[in-house]
Amino acid sequence: MTATLGDVAFVIGSMARTAVDNEGLFGELDAVVGDGDFGYSMARGFEAVLAGWSELDRASIGGFLKGVATTVMGRMGGTSGPIWGTALLRAGTVAGNESELECAEVLAMLWAAIEGIRQRGKSDVGDKTLLDALVPAVNALEGELLNGGAAADALSRAAVVASEAAEATRPMVAKRGRASYAGDRSVGTLDPGAAAVARMFQDIAASWSEHVGRSDSEAHT
Amino acid sequence: MKKLINDPQDFVAEMLKGTALANPGSLRYVPEFNLIMRVDAPREDKVSVIQGSGSGHEPAHVMFVGRGMLDGACPGDVFSAPPVDYVVGTTKMLNSPMGVLYLVNNYTGDGMAFEMAAEIVEAEGIRVATVVIDDDVAVKDSTYTIGRRGVAGNFFVIKAVGAAAELSASLDDLVLLGNRVNSVTRTMGMALTSCTPPAKGSPLFELGQSEMEMGVGIHGEPGRSREPLGSANEIIDALVEAVVADLPYRRGDQVALMINGLGATPVSELYLAYGRAHEQLVARGIDVARSYVGEYCTSLDMAGCSVTLVRLDDGLVDYLAAPADVAVRIF
């Protein structure tokens, strides 16, 4: 399995549409224990990515991801801007000047993004954040890919794991972000960041085969 | 939702534009970074003092920009920390040879935005330092959370640091002063009603007709407890007790007392609350040397109030009493 710039752009575009389409849902989830700004911040940041889509640098995967990161940090406020900006920047640094990545490089890129989120948020798995969905999902993706699984299967597995992991944040006590002020009262609610990650994986997995089919037909014309 | 707004997405920008138009001689609006700045900033003879935070807390912090207080404020959207780029852009525009001081309320998003911005501008040779404000006693300061929140007490840090900066205090001295003021400032608030962010269009949380939230955050975050609605005296006594016990403030201490309205509390009620709080402090042998009653750090249209105490010393009194010229005025 390899990933082209087109594949990376598809994933980013899908994530952006998920953020824009679910502004209300993510805002409602955040309002339960946070302050309700999560959906709005995510939507405004990724809306800016879609608005500037055609102007993004497409010379390399690293350049593309850094362009996305810059756009996100220019518009996305709250906790989300630094978190997603850092993740995209770190991923871009690993991807560098390549226009196609080997499987191991794709995984290294995802783990670098996760490490960036850990450092920026001073948080880890178990704190009731997006990491609680993202880390298990990338672990599942890695397991499938290293076993020789196809990208489509690996993404489907990651989407299932991410959804289960997001659901598993309900009984957790929030330790980061404004939800942490709620302490024990945060128990019983879904973490909005984890829910967003799960929804992104679901949407990517659902449309991946369509994307691959389109890429193949483009390659043959 | 019934509000004096147009498109919710234009809410912050239109508010900032109005702030600048109302103060043509002293304030300038830079739309690119949601920035309200002094027209005479940056100045070579003073550190530039800047704030970020979310919008929805006005007059904090854009209306605290002016002589003797902030040099600039670049808020994010309602209840949302500013994007990193706003902070970077603001820092570059206000870069003074004496340095730039970030006053950051202790929230996850604000902390990260200012930390990232500091990394970026320091790499370009700009000298920055940060004071984190965390005066809210409702949140336990434990290693399992990000710690206490910054709320209405940030006014005193801004006022003292702003006054010292006007006298050309160094960046290091301002950091010491800001931390000192923060260390003797404590606040607790309570909500009678929820609040409605324009972009959400509905109340952030539900609070029944006969309920109140004690220890509420300025973004409607939960506080210590939800309780049956009490009388004004019961409410103020509980807030004063929580604040006094936290530092603690002791018999013989000289303090500043602030009753801050959260956005939808009549001035009359704030003065009623002030009277009770003042008497409670006097009864404890605490001397109220300076008084503040009004809206300093609001939560949109939330009804409720917060009580802030600052333990004073001679130096601090001088900074608090020093002249300032900001957008908030009734003369």
Side-chain angles (χ1 to χ4, degrees):
Chain A
M1 174 259 170
T2 58
T4 62
L5 176 63
D7 294 333
V8 173
F10 165 75
V11 167
I12 297 292
S14 176
M15 288 164 60
R17 282 188 299 278
T18 302
V20 173
D21 292 347
N22 292 282
E23 178 180 348
L25 171 68
F26 295 160
E28 288 294 334
L29 285 174
D30 187 34
V32 180
V33 286
D35 51 18
D37 72 329
F38 176 66
Y40 187 87
S41 296
M42 289 284 282
R44 296 294 83 73
F46 277 112
E47 198 172 72
V49 171
L50 294 176
W53 191 249
S54 58
E55 284 108 73
L56 287 166
D57 174 12
R58 283 182 170 72
S60 68
I61 293 175
F64 178 79
L65 289 172
K66 283 178 185 172
V68 175
T70 304
T71 311
V72 162
M73 290 195 295
R75 185 64 188 95
M76 197 187 289
T79 308
S80 306
I83 287 284
W84 290 88
T86 300
L88 290 160
L89 277 179
R90 297 287 175 91
T93 301
V94 170
N97 290 325
E98 305 295 328
S99 56
E100 188 161 348
L101 300 174
E102 298 297 325
C103 180
E105 292 170 317
V106 171
L107 293 169
M109 185 171 74
L110 292 170
W111 286 118
I114 286 170
E115 189 52 33
I117 294 171
R118 278 196 177 111
Q119 288 172 3
R120 185 62 65 197
K122 299 182 179 68
S123 61
D124 210 332
V125 172
D127 290 344
K128 196 164 187 164
T129 70
L130 77 166
L131 288 172
D132 288 308
L134 187 56
V135 172
V138 172
N139 264 323
L141 192 75
E142 183 173 63
E144 290 285 327
L145 290 175
L146 294 183
N147 275 332
D153 298 333
L155 282 167
S156 296
R157 178 74 198 133
V160 170
V161 169
S163 304
E164 289 169 358
E167 194 57 38
T169 61
R170 273 190 204 277
M172 293 183 179
V173 177
K175 291 179 184 165
R176 289 292 179 270
R178 282 191 200 139
S180 67
Y181 308 130
D184 290 342
R185 284 205 265 173
S186 67
V187 171
T189 64
L190 207 57
D191 177 66
V197 165
R199 185 58 68 98
M200 284 175 171
F201 269 104
Q202 287 163 14
D203 289 349
I204 293 164
S207 53
W208 180 260
S209 54
E210 192 190 331
H211 156 70
V212 172
R214 199 167 49 239
S215 304
D216 285 350
S217 65
E218 278 168 11
H220 293 124
T221 52
Chain B
M1 177 173 58
K2 215 169 172 186
K3 282 180 183 287
L4 202 55
I5 59 168
N6 300 302
D7 183 338
Q9 288 204 33
D10 298 330
F11 175 68
V12 173
E14 290 174 350
M15 179 261 295
L16 296 177
K17 182 183 75 177
T19 306
L21 286 174
N23 298 273
S26 55
L27 299 183
R28 181 181 155 201
Y29 171 38
V30 183
E32 203 183 345
F33 306 125
N34 267 11
L35 168 63
I36 291 287
M37 60 181 280
R38 285 170 63 164
V39 290
D40 60 344
R43 278 181 16 201
E44 288 193 356
D45 61 344
K46 77 179 285 293
V47 169
S48 288
V49 183
I50 70 177
Q51 255 275 7
S53 299
S55 295
H57 305 303
E58 293 70 24
H61 301 91
V62 289
M63 292 145 206
F64 293 161
V65 177
R67 185 174 61 93
M69 290 189 71
L70 295 173
D71 291 273
C74 57
D77 290 314
V78 170
F79 293 174
S80 200
V84 177
D85 276 17
Y86 290 11
V87 183
V88 171
T90 294
T91 310
K92 287 179 179 173
M93 287 197 71
L94 294 176
N95 180 18
S96 153
M98 288 187 67
V100 177
L101 180 67
Y102 293 162
L103 298 183
V104 180
N105 290 339
N106 192 35
Y107 296 98
T108 309
D110 295 279
M112 289 193 289
F114 278 89
E115 183 185 278
M116 275 188 93
E119 287 170 18
I120 292 167
V121 300
E122 278 171 347
E124 297 181 23
I126 298 178
R127 198 162 157 247
V128 296
T130 302
V131 169
V132 176
I133 300 157
D134 61 350
D135 54 310
D136 187 359
V137 307
V139 176
K140 280 187 201 141
D141 191 8
S142 98
T143 50
Y144 297 106
T145 70
I146 69 154
R148 293 195 309 247
R149 303 173 285 219
V151 287
N154 67 30
F155 171 84
F156 295 100
V157 178
I158 295 170
K159 182 66 188 68
V161 164
E166 212 65 48
L167 299 171
S168 296
S170 71
L171 187 58
D172 291 343
D173 286 347
L174 292 179
V175 170
L176 288 174
L177 175 62
N179 287 333
R180 177 159 72 93
V181 178
N182 183 58
S183 73
V184 295
T185 302
R186 295 289 188 273
T187 299
M188 189 152 116
M190 62 80 57
L192 294 166
T193 69
S194 183
C195 59
T196 299
K200 187 167 185 292
S202 57
L204 201 48
F205 59 100
E206 295 300 327
L207 199 54
Q209 275 300 315
S210 55
E211 289 181 320
M212 61 180 184
E213 181 79 26
M214 292 298 283
V216 73
I218 53 173
H219 312 90
E221 312 98 311
R224 285 190 178 180
S225 57
R226 183 157 300 189
E227 297 176 15
L229 182 62
S231 69
N233 285 355
E234 287 165 354
I235 290 168
I236 295 304
D237 290 359
L239 294 178
V240 167
E241 169 60 29
V243 172
V244 167
D246 191 88
L247 191 62
Y249 299 87
R250 294 194 167 92
R251 182 170 294 276
D253 278 352
Q254 207 180 50
V255 300
L257 165 61
M258 171 189 278
I259 301 294
N260 167 59
L262 292 178
T265 304
V267 173
S268 51
E269 293 178 23
L270 296 178
Y271 275 91
L272 182 156
Y274 178 85
R276 178 66 179 191
H278 186 113
E279 286 174 351
Q280 286 292 304
L281 292 172
V282 170
R284 290 163 189 263
I286 296 170
D287 175 21
V288 182
R290 292 189 67 82
S291 307
Y292 299 79
V293 188
E295 290 180 340
Y296 293 84
C297 189
T298 61
S299 190
L300 293 169
D301 53 353
M302 183 183 285
C305 71
S306 63
V307 173
T308 300
L309 290 179
V310 188
R311 189 170 62 209
L312 300 173
D313 55 55
D314 289 348
L316 187 46
V317 167
D318 289 344
Y319 289 132
L320 294 183
D325 182 16
V326 296
V328 182
R329 56 173 189 253
I330 57 166
F331 40 86

